[in-house]
Amino acid sequence: AGQPHKRRRTSEPSEIEERLESLICRVGEKSNSSLESNLEGLAGVLEADLPNYKSKILRILCTVARLLPEKLTVYTTLVGLLNARNYNFGGEFVEAMIRQLKECLKVNMYNEAVHLVRFLSDLVNCHVIAAPSMVAMFENFVSVTQEEDVPQVRCDWYMFAFLSSLPWVGKELYEKKDAEMDRLLSQTENYLKRRQKIHVPMLQVWTADKPHPQEEYLDCLWSQIQKLKKDRWQERHILRPYLAFDSILCEALQHNLPPFTPPPHTEDSVYPMPRVIFRMFDYTDDPEGPVMPGSHSVERFVIEENLHCIIKSHWKERKTCAAQLLSYPGNNKIPLNYHIVEVIFAELFQLPSPPHIEVMYTTLLIELCKLQPGSLPQVLAQATEMLYMRLDTMNTTCVDRFINWFSHHLSNFQFRWSWEDWSDCLTQDLEKPKPKFVREVLEKCMRLSYHQRIIDIVPASFSVLSPANPVCVYKYGDESNRSLPGYTVALCLTIAIKNKASNDEIFGILKDVPNPNQDDDDDEGFTFNPLKIEVFVQTLLHLAAKSFSHSFSALAKFHEVFKTLAESDEGKLHVLRVVYEVWKNHPQMIAVLVDKMIRTQIVDCAAVANWIFSSELAHDFTRFYIWEILHSTIRKMNKHVLKIHKELEETKARLARQHKRRDSDDDDDDDDRSSDREDGPLEEQIERLQEKVESAQSEQKNLFLVIFQRFIMLLTEHLVRCETGGIDVFTPWYKSCIERLQQIFLQHHQIIQQYMVTLENLLFTAELDHHILAVFQQFCALQA
């Protein structure tokens, strides 16, 4: 018990620093006294501590400005009060913010940079920054759109930073500098008119604009700002605590921003991707509660921005995150539950990828349901119903995420759902989006439960969509199949494996299996023999069918046999075919086994890609698990390349450190031979790693070439077939296939970007059908 006291005496400054940090971070949260009196009290405390802790206070305030944007106006008011009491501190804070902004832009932290710009603009309202100098900064932002040979995404970011600050500061800037602001807005309009928007279809959650248009983010924001201007910059939602201190703040001296020049575009600049604004609800969806602001009202923008910020600040703590969302200020004036659900789905369905891991959204929604059991589950059920109704036009990648979320959600609520309401899907062609969705959801639910449970929870009429019983299909297990070639060998293998046979004994048994591909006199030993693979893999998987662990042990124990049988490319492909034959009723087992076989190098990534596009898998080509396997395969390949690349960089760094160490040891009698001896092993290692990196990258490039080539072949065949037969191109299969192609581009865009030139020259050439080429052009436009 004595310990803490002792520590307290010696480390007083750090204790005070922690207290300051806690006070600053917590201001604006629920408390017994008013926000105004809390702010006034805190300003007094900080002012008293400025002589000793100024740099610490500056650092904390700059950090909260960047990382807690949902409390933006609380902190700008605090800075305003401090500036009114201590002019020099205000000036130092503004300079520190500009330094931080430049730093963020240099290291591509553009989302944080937006918050800093917004913070600076709101300081105009608090009489810390003079309006003309803020307008000058925005003029520099807008002038970026005149730069030549820079990507559109660069101009977009500066435009967004300017426009998205106007809900906070538009009124003040217009009052002081109306002519300059008019000029800025007309330059903005000209830029938005000439922007290209080829990328939009690739990023839309729905292809249909009914009931809600899915607008590009800058177009939507521009409409919101135009409406705000028409309403004379009157905005009704932002909390503005500084209004209460107007008499104090208006006496304060203001600072001019130091001239700010946007840092030039470089090779290393990575700008945020364009987005499409997700819309799901409007005022008609909640007739009882407060009215939901229209999609072009600036309030909608402010509410959504703040909710996104709350999620970003607290996503790692689902309980805190849910509580913060539900205690959003002004929650009695807006249908908050609808806004929260829409914002969460907007993030979950964001393309190319959600801001956070998908499972976080599931846990957050469950937490929200627990905190608001009387109202939120109903809104969520309504949202689910809407998503189901709009499945026909929903992007396939988003349907995947919808399946994952919904099945996981159901598993937390005893799989209860009013399935009868969805019986309309039973009369449709099973390839159509609704029946496919229900089938995949039930399949996923089975992974989170077990087969019989799923059969029990859905009505009998849904049996056509219920998952198959996940049993193994062993073709040598049936007496009636004794005429099958290899039947007797399979029996011998079964006995041998049960008796713990070694790899050599297995080879001995397989030696006598005839090769259907070869003439009798041409015996080349272990070249590709489909029958050997079939007998061995069928028998082994059947014996190890009890669990994933049994199957893994079998793969490990007979690894050598697998490697020998699957030495050639045809061998690898055939192993995968047999895995599919044995486990076609159990997609999860197929996915897990393929994953294990890639890790243990029984098959390679290109073999998996070729197998997925092979005619044997045509029946399952649009199934969810097939694409899970393909994406997981690509990710493994990408990780492999990264890992070797990292090893190479580390070894190079070690060599550089060695040289530096030698240079600093200023020994006059330097012995060159000993330094060569020291460098030798590292240089050899670097050479070896360089070769490995090159070979891995060429394997990676080849994988993407295989995938895109197979897509082009399949889609071209379909298009030609439809053209010659006079059939409509846009079948459910075509929608699925073309959107899977988009998905490959989007999910792996950073890697594919490196191989753009090769793809353009070899595959996506001008002669290609425009349906397929459009996908490539949309992808190129994402970072153009």
Short mmCIF file of all heavy atoms in Angstrom, two decimals, residues 310-321 356 360 363:
data_model
loop_
_atom_site.label_atom_id
_atom_site.label_comp_id
_atom_site.label_asym_id
_atom_site.label_seq_id
_atom_site.Cartn_x
_atom_site.Cartn_y
_atom_site.Cartn_z
N ILE A 310 -17.00 9.23 -34.74
CA ILE A 310 -17.13 8.50 -33.46
C ILE A 310 -16.69 7.05 -33.64
O ILE A 310 -15.95 6.49 -32.82
CB ILE A 310 -18.59 8.57 -32.95
CG1 ILE A 310 -18.92 10.00 -32.49
CG2 ILE A 310 -18.81 7.59 -31.79
CD1 ILE A 310 -20.38 10.24 -32.15
N ILE A 311 -17.12 6.43 -34.75
CA ILE A 311 -16.73 5.04 -35.01
C ILE A 311 -15.21 4.96 -35.15
O ILE A 311 -14.56 4.07 -34.59
CB ILE A 311 -17.44 4.48 -36.27
CG1 ILE A 311 -18.95 4.39 -36.02
CG2 ILE A 311 -16.88 3.10 -36.64
CD1 ILE A 311 -19.77 4.00 -37.24
N LYS A 312 -14.63 5.91 -35.87
CA LYS A 312 -13.18 5.89 -36.09
C LYS A 312 -12.42 6.03 -34.77
O LYS A 312 -11.39 5.40 -34.54
CB LYS A 312 -12.78 7.01 -37.05
CG LYS A 312 -11.33 6.95 -37.50
CD LYS A 312 -11.10 7.88 -38.68
CE LYS A 312 -9.71 7.69 -39.25
NZ LYS A 312 -8.65 8.25 -38.44
N SER A 313 -12.96 6.88 -33.86
CA SER A 313 -12.26 7.09 -32.58
C SER A 313 -12.37 5.89 -31.65
O SER A 313 -11.48 5.62 -30.86
CB SER A 313 -12.83 8.32 -31.86
OG SER A 313 -12.64 9.47 -32.64
N HIS A 314 -13.51 5.17 -31.71
CA HIS A 314 -13.76 4.15 -30.67
C HIS A 314 -13.94 2.73 -31.21
O HIS A 314 -14.42 1.87 -30.48
CB HIS A 314 -15.02 4.54 -29.87
CG HIS A 314 -14.94 5.90 -29.27
ND1 HIS A 314 -14.16 6.20 -28.18
CD2 HIS A 314 -15.55 7.07 -29.61
CE1 HIS A 314 -14.29 7.49 -27.88
NE2 HIS A 314 -15.12 8.04 -28.73
N TRP A 315 -13.60 2.48 -32.47
CA TRP A 315 -13.98 1.18 -33.07
C TRP A 315 -13.38 -0.02 -32.35
O TRP A 315 -13.93 -1.12 -32.40
CB TRP A 315 -13.63 1.15 -34.56
CG TRP A 315 -12.18 1.10 -34.88
CD1 TRP A 315 -11.33 2.15 -34.99
CD2 TRP A 315 -11.39 -0.06 -35.16
NE1 TRP A 315 -10.06 1.74 -35.30
CE2 TRP A 315 -10.07 0.37 -35.42
CE3 TRP A 315 -11.66 -1.43 -35.21
CZ2 TRP A 315 -9.04 -0.50 -35.72
CZ3 TRP A 315 -10.62 -2.31 -35.52
CH2 TRP A 315 -9.33 -1.84 -35.78
N LYS A 316 -12.28 0.17 -31.64
CA LYS A 316 -11.66 -0.99 -30.98
C LYS A 316 -12.40 -1.40 -29.70
O LYS A 316 -12.19 -2.48 -29.19
CB LYS A 316 -10.19 -0.70 -30.67
CG LYS A 316 -9.34 -0.66 -31.93
CD LYS A 316 -7.90 -0.36 -31.62
CE LYS A 316 -7.09 -0.30 -32.92
NZ LYS A 316 -5.79 0.30 -32.74
N GLU A 317 -13.24 -0.48 -29.19
CA GLU A 317 -13.99 -0.76 -27.95
C GLU A 317 -15.48 -0.72 -28.28
O GLU A 317 -16.08 0.35 -28.25
CB GLU A 317 -13.66 0.30 -26.89
CG GLU A 317 -12.22 0.28 -26.41
CD GLU A 317 -11.92 -0.97 -25.58
OE1 GLU A 317 -12.88 -1.55 -25.03
OE2 GLU A 317 -10.74 -1.35 -25.49
N ARG A 318 -16.06 -1.87 -28.59
CA ARG A 318 -17.42 -1.83 -29.13
C ARG A 318 -18.45 -1.25 -28.14
O ARG A 318 -19.38 -0.55 -28.55
CB ARG A 318 -17.86 -3.21 -29.60
CG ARG A 318 -17.91 -4.27 -28.52
CD ARG A 318 -18.33 -5.63 -29.06
NE ARG A 318 -18.68 -6.54 -28.00
CZ ARG A 318 -17.82 -7.29 -27.33
NH1 ARG A 318 -16.54 -7.19 -27.61
NH2 ARG A 318 -18.23 -8.12 -26.39
N LYS A 319 -18.25 -1.51 -26.84
CA LYS A 319 -19.22 -0.99 -25.85
C LYS A 319 -19.17 0.54 -25.79
O LYS A 319 -20.20 1.21 -25.82
CB LYS A 319 -18.93 -1.58 -24.45
CG LYS A 319 -19.35 -3.04 -24.30
CD LYS A 319 -19.11 -3.52 -22.87
CE LYS A 319 -19.95 -4.73 -22.48
NZ LYS A 319 -19.75 -5.92 -23.28
N THR A 320 -17.95 1.07 -25.71
CA THR A 320 -17.78 2.53 -25.69
C THR A 320 -18.34 3.14 -26.97
O THR A 320 -19.04 4.15 -26.96
CB THR A 320 -16.28 2.90 -25.59
OG1 THR A 320 -15.67 2.07 -24.62
CG2 THR A 320 -16.06 4.35 -25.28
N CYS A 321 -18.01 2.49 -28.09
CA CYS A 321 -18.42 3.00 -29.40
C CYS A 321 -19.95 3.09 -29.47
O CYS A 321 -20.51 4.13 -29.88
CB CYS A 321 -17.87 2.08 -30.49
SG CYS A 321 -18.03 2.78 -32.13
N HIS A 356 -12.78 -0.48 -41.35
CA HIS A 356 -12.33 -1.37 -40.26
C HIS A 356 -12.70 -2.81 -40.60
O HIS A 356 -13.45 -3.04 -41.53
CB HIS A 356 -12.96 -0.95 -38.93
CG HIS A 356 -12.87 0.52 -38.67
ND1 HIS A 356 -11.67 1.15 -38.46
CD2 HIS A 356 -13.83 1.48 -38.65
CE1 HIS A 356 -11.89 2.46 -38.30
NE2 HIS A 356 -13.18 2.68 -38.41
N MET A 360 -16.14 -6.19 -36.83
CA MET A 360 -16.38 -5.09 -35.89
C MET A 360 -17.80 -4.55 -36.03
O MET A 360 -18.47 -4.23 -35.04
CB MET A 360 -15.36 -3.97 -36.15
CG MET A 360 -15.38 -2.84 -35.15
SD MET A 360 -16.68 -1.61 -35.33
CE MET A 360 -16.21 -0.75 -36.80
N THR A 363 -20.34 -6.83 -34.29
CA THR A 363 -20.33 -6.72 -32.82
C THR A 363 -20.90 -5.37 -32.38
O THR A 363 -21.59 -5.29 -31.37
CB THR A 363 -18.90 -6.89 -32.25
OG1 THR A 363 -18.06 -5.90 -32.85
CG2 THR A 363 -18.34 -8.25 -32.54
#
